[in-house]
C-alpha cells in the first residue's frame, strides 16, 4: 500500500478545523462575569452562523433575532460550494473527526463498512421531524442542534468536572507539596493556579442538576465514532442534513480520472462522510465534508476537486448561464432521494410530538409550576419555548450558578431550558449577562437598570421554619442581603415569651410584594440550609400577567 500524500488542502483543513475548535473554546471561556458586568456579545458567535437555529426559531416564534441572519452566509456558501461548513468550520465536526482517528479497524474492514449507507438518510428525517414540530410551535431543535449539544455538554458536564479536577489537583499540591529537597512545587503551582483562577476557572464551585443524563448522551455521541467515522455527522445531525440539502449540487465537485483509478478503494477508507468517492458517478455531494481525504489517499492521483462547469448542448451557452442551469437541473445521480412516504412519517412524528406536549397540563398553560423561575427578561413561556435552544450559554455565564437546566419544571417541552434554583445561587442584582449572551433572544436584552425592575417571582416566609417566627431567635440575614434600593423585606418587632417564661423582643421579617423582584438572594443566604425559612416562587413574574400574586391576575 502506498503512503498518503496528505495534500496541502488536507493540512489547511486540519489547521482551519483546529482554529475553529480553539475559537469555540476561547469564546466559551470568555462567557463569564468579568470585573464588570460585560462579556462581549461575540461569545455567542457560532450560534449566529447556525441556519438551523434561524429556521427553527422563525418557524416556531415567527420572529428572528437579527444576529441570526448571519447564518444566511452559511447557507449561501453551502449552496455554492457544498458542505464545507461541516468539514472546515463546525467545532463539533472537528471533534468527531479527531476522535474518529482513534478507531482501530483494518482498511479492508473499512472498505466494507464505510461507503454510503441508506441509514444516512436518518438525519434528513430527524431534520423534518424537528422542523415540523417547530412549525407547530414546539422548538426542540436544541436537543440535537450540534452547537447547542456541544455547548451544553461542555458547560454542564466538562467544565464543572474539569474545573473541579484542576482545583483538587492544585489543592492537593498545596497541602502535600511533594517538592525535591528545598525546591517547593508550590513556587510554580501557586502562580499557575492564580493565573487559571483569573482567566479560566469559575470563581465559585459550580454544580448542575441532571448532569448525568447530559453526560451519558454526550459520551454516547462521542463513542459512536469508534463504530463508524463521524457517526453523528453521517447519521443524526439535523444541521448536517440541512446543509446536505442546500449543498446537494455545488460548484466544486469531485473529478475522477477513470484511466488512473485501479479500484483499490483506498479513498473509501479515509472518506469521513460516506460520500462514495470511489463509485463512478456515484459521489454524493450532500454527504461530502470536503475533507479532501480521498484525494489525499489515492495513490494514483485519480481523484481531484475542481470547479464544475456543466456541459451544454449549445457550445455558445456562457458559463454563468450553465452554472445557473446546473442549480436548477441537478444531474440524476446527485438527486437526494428521501422518499415521500418516509418524509411524511417523519413530519407526522413531529406533529405527534407537538400534540403529546400540548396534551399535558403544562402544555395547556393551566398550571404554573412554582419552581419554573425564568431568567429576568425572558419572554412569555410559549414564546420562550419557541425560542430557547437549550444551548446553556446563559447557564455558563451566570455568576452565581443559579441558572440550571430544567428537568421536569417546564414539562416535556422545557427539558434543559434555564430555570433559577435559588438554593444553588440567586439572580445577581448587578448582572444581566444571561440576556447579553442568549443567541435567540429568548431572554430579551434589557439595560441593567431595566433588568433591575423585572420581577421573576416573589419571596414568601415559611413561618414554621424562619428562625424569628418559628423559634423566636434573632436573625435578619435575609433583610440584610435584600438588594432592592428600598428593602423588599421589612421587620416587625414583636414581644414573644420563651419556653422559660421570659419576655423577648424579636424582629419578624415580612415581604413587601410591591418591592420584591424574586431575585432569591434571601433564600440563598438563609442560614437554614436544608430547607430555607424563606423561598421564592414564580408567582408575580413580570412576563406573565396570568401568574400574579395579588388579586387581579388569573390563571391562563
Ligand atoms: S454534520 Fe453536524 S456536527 Fe457534523 S460537522 Fe456538520 S454540522 Fe457539525
Ligand atoms: S435562554 Fe439560555 S439556553 Fe435558551 S437559548 Fe438563551 S442562552 Fe441558550
Ligand atoms: S427575593 Fe428576597 S432578596 Fe430578592 S427582592 Fe425579594 S425579598 Fe429581596
Amino acid at each position: 500500500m502506498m503512503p498518503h500524500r496528505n495534500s496541502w488542502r488536507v493540512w489547511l483543513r486540519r489547521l482551519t478545523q483546529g482554529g475553529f475548535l480553539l475559537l469555540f473554546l476561547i469564546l466559551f471561556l470568555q462567557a463569564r462575569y468579568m470585573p464588570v458586568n460585560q462579556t462581549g456579545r461575540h461569545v455567542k458567535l457560532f450560534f449566529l452562523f447556525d441556519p438551523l437555529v434561524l429556521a427553527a426559531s422563525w418557524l416556531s416564534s415567527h420572529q428572528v433575532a437579527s444576529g441570526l441572519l448571519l447564518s444566511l452566509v452559511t447557507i449561501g456558501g453551502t449552496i455554492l460550494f457544498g458542505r464545507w461548513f461541516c468539514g472546515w468550520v463546525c467545532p463539533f465536526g472537528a471533534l468527531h473527526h479527531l476522535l474518529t482517528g482513534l478507531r482501530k479497524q483494518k482498511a479492508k474492514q473499512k472498505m466494507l463498512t464505510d461507503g454510503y449507507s441508506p441509514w444516512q438518510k436518518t438525519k434528513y428525517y430527524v431534520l423534518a421531524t424537528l422542523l415540523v414540530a417547530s412549525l407547530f410551535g414546539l422548538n426542540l431543535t436544541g436537543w440535537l442542534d450540534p452547537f447547542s449539544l456541544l455547548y451544553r455538554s461542555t458547560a454542564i458536564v466538562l467544565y464543572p468536572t474539569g474545573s473541579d479536577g484542576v482545583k483538587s489537583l492544585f489543592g492537593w499540591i498545596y497541602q502535600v507539596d511533594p517538592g525535591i529537597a528545598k525546591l517547593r512545587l508550590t513556587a510554580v503551582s501557586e502562580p499557575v493556579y492564580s493565573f487559571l483562577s483569573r482567566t479560566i476557572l469559575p470563581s465559585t464551585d459550580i454544580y448542575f442538576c441532571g448532569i448525568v443524563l447530559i453526560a451519558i448522551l454526550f459520551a454516547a455521541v462521542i463513542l459512536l465514532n469508534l463504530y463508524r467515522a463521524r457517526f453523528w455527522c453521517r447519521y443524526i445531525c439535523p444541521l448536517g442534513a440541512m446543509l446536505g440539502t442546500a449543498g446537494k449540487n455545488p460548484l466544486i465537485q469531485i473529478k475522477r480520472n477513470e484511466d488512473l483509478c485501479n479500484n483499490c478503494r483506498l479513498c473509501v477508507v479515509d472518506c469521513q462522510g460516506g460520500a462514495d468517492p470511489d463509485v463512478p458517478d456515484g459521489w454524493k455531494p450532500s454527504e461530502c465534508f470536503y475533507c479532501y481525504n480521498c484525494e489525499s489517499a489515492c495513490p494514483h492521483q485519480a481523484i481531484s476537486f475542481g470547479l464544475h462547469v456543466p456541459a451544454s448542448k449549445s457550445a455558445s451557452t456562457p458559463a454563468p448561464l450553465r452554472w445557473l442551469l446546473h442549480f436548477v437541473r441537478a444531474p440524476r445521480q446527485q438527486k437526494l432521494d428521501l422518499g415521500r412516504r418516509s418524509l411524511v412519517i417523519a413530519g407526522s412524528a413531529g406533529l405527534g410530538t407537538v400534540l403529546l406536549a400540548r396534551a399535558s397540563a403544562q402544555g395547556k398553560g393551566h398550571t404554573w409550576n412554582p419552581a419554573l423561575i425564568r431568567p429576568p427578561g425572558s419572554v412569555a413561556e410559549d414564546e420562550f419555548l419557541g425560542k430557547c435552544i437549550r444551548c446553556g450559554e446563559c447557564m455558563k455565564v451566570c455568576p452565581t450558578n443559579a441558572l440550571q437546566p430544567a428537568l421536569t419544571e417546564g414539562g416535556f417541552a422545557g427539558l434543559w431550558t434555564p430555570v433559577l434554583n435559588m438554593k444553588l445561587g440567586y439572580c445577581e442584582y448587578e448582572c444581566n449577562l444571561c440576556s447579553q449572551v442568549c443567541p435567540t433572544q429568548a431572554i430579551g436584552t434589557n439595560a441593567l437598570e431595566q433588568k433591575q425592575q423585572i420581577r421573576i417571582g416573589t419571596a414568601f416566609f415559611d413561618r414554621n421554619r424562619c428562625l424569628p417566627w418559628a423559634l423566636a431567635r434573632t436573625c435578619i440575614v435575609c433583610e440584610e442581603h435584600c438588594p432592592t434600593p428600598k428593602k423588599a423585606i421589612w421587620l416587625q418587632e414583636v414581644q414573644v415569651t420563651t419556653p422559660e417564661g421570659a419576655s423577648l423582643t424579636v424582629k419578624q421579617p415580612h415581604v413587601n410584594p410591591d418591592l420584591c423582584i424574586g431575585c432569591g438572594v434571601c433564600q440563598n443566604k438563609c442560614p437554614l440550609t436544608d430547607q430555607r425559612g424563606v423561598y421564592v416562587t414564580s408567582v408575580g413574574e413580570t412576563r406573565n400577567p396570568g401568574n400574579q400574586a395579588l388579586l387581579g391576575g388569573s390563571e391562563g
Side-chain angles (χ1 to χ4, degrees), residues 48 54 63-71 439-441:
L48 304 185
L54 173 79
Q63 288 170 7
V64 163
S66 55
L68 286 175
L69 293 175
L70 283 174
S71 64
T440 62
Q441 289 186 356

Side-chain angles (χ1 to χ4, degrees), residues 6 126 260 313 395 447 537:
N6 273 343
V126 170
L260 295 177
K313 282 182 191 150
M395 302 171 215
T537 75

Side-chain angles (χ1 to χ4, degrees), residues 83 86 90 92-93 146 230 232-233 237 239-240:
R83 214 172 140 189
C86 295
C90 177
F92 203 26
R230 289 183 69 159
W232 162 269
C233 309
C237 181
L239 176 59

Side-chain angles (χ1 to χ4, degrees), residues 361-368 382 541 544-548 552-556:
Q362 197 121 24
K364 293 258 184 267
H366 283 319
T367 46
W368 306 113
D382 273 0
E541 52 184 346
N544 186 352
N547 185 23
Q548 297 303 313
S554 65
E555 209 176 66

Side-chain angles (χ1 to χ4, degrees), residues 110-133:
K110 285 187 186 169
M111 279 176 204
L112 291 176
T113 57
D114 278 21
Y116 176 77
S117 153
W119 285 103
Q120 289 180 220
K121 290 180 187 171
T122 309
K123 61 180 172 295
Y124 297 98
Y125 304 131
V126 170
L127 174 68
T129 305
L130 292 175
L131 290 185
V132 169

Side-chain angles (χ1 to χ4, degrees), residues 465-476 496 506-509:
R465 300 277 307 170
C466 173
L467 293 174
W469 284 101
L471 303 176
R473 297 285 158 86
T474 303
C475 174
I476 54 166
V496 293
V506 288
K507 292 177 176 173
Q508 290 176 336

Side-chain angles (χ1 to χ4, degrees), residues 423 465 523 526-533:
K423 278 190 174 179
R465 300 277 307 170
Q523 178 176 349
C526 174
L528 297 169
T529 49
D530 60 340
Q531 189 182 326
R532 316 292 158 108

